[in-house]
Amino acid sequence: QVQLVESGGGLVQAGGSLRLSCAASGRTLSSDIMGWFRRAPGKEREFVASIRWRGGSTYYADSAKGRFTISRDNAKITVYLQMANLKPEDTAVYYCAAARAPLTVDTTTSYDYWGQGTQVTVSS
């Protein structure tokens, strides 16, 4: 089992920044990739970004490219999502997820473990 705990969400004005953190514990060596997803009110959960523990390859949704940066600290077993130039449409619950052997990096079904989520609200 892998446990994931997100933090760093909150209320921010449009154009502002936030950094989300996801601390992993448990059998973390079993996970190959960490991802961030979000669910906006009335919408399906969608992919935001992901990163591989080994090598650090990163992947982004089109909506995140150029504004969000995913990174990891292997020593702390923590993944970050730095979000800049936030827009009201970024308002959502953001979830951290871990995948053991994903076939794809941007689908929810590829991920085995999920955190509880952290709310991000962007006001206009």
Side-chain angles (χ1 to χ4, degrees):
Q1 287 283 355
V2 175
Q3 293 78 44
L4 305 172
V5 179
E6 303 98 333
S7 61
L11 174 64
V12 64
Q13 288 187 330
S17 300
L18 278 176
R19 188 178 81 157
L20 306 183
S21 299
C22 173
S25 61
R27 299 185 64 182
T28 56
L29 290 179
S30 67
S31 65
D32 172 55
I33 194 167
M34 299 290 292
W36 286 98
F37 289 75
R38 67 185 183 186
R39 176 179 283 165
K43 294 187 177 181
E44 297 290 320
R45 193 173 298 194
E46 66 176 7
F47 171 73
V48 177
S50 61
I51 187 167
R52 295 192 184 274
W53 282 117
R54 290 176 287 275
S57 296
T58 58
Y59 312 88
Y60 292 94
D62 287 343
S63 60
K65 289 178 182 176
R67 298 190 300 127
F68 295 1
T69 303
I70 189 170
S71 61
R72 84 234 190 269
D73 185 328
N74 289 45
K76 295 182 178 179
I77 321 178
T78 299
V79 174
Y80 304 97
L81 185 67
Q82 179 69 49
M83 304 185 292
N85 191 22
L86 284 161
K87 305 175 182 180
E89 50 263 44
D90 294 317
T91 295
V93 177
Y94 283 71
Y95 298 90
C96 176
R100 290 193 298 262
L103 294 177
T104 60
V105 301
D106 59 353
T107 55
T108 57
T109 53
S110 288
Y111 290 78
D112 305 288
Y113 307 102
W114 293 85
Q116 293 299 308
T118 184
Q119 177 71 47
V120 171
T121 303
V122 184
S123 63
S124 58

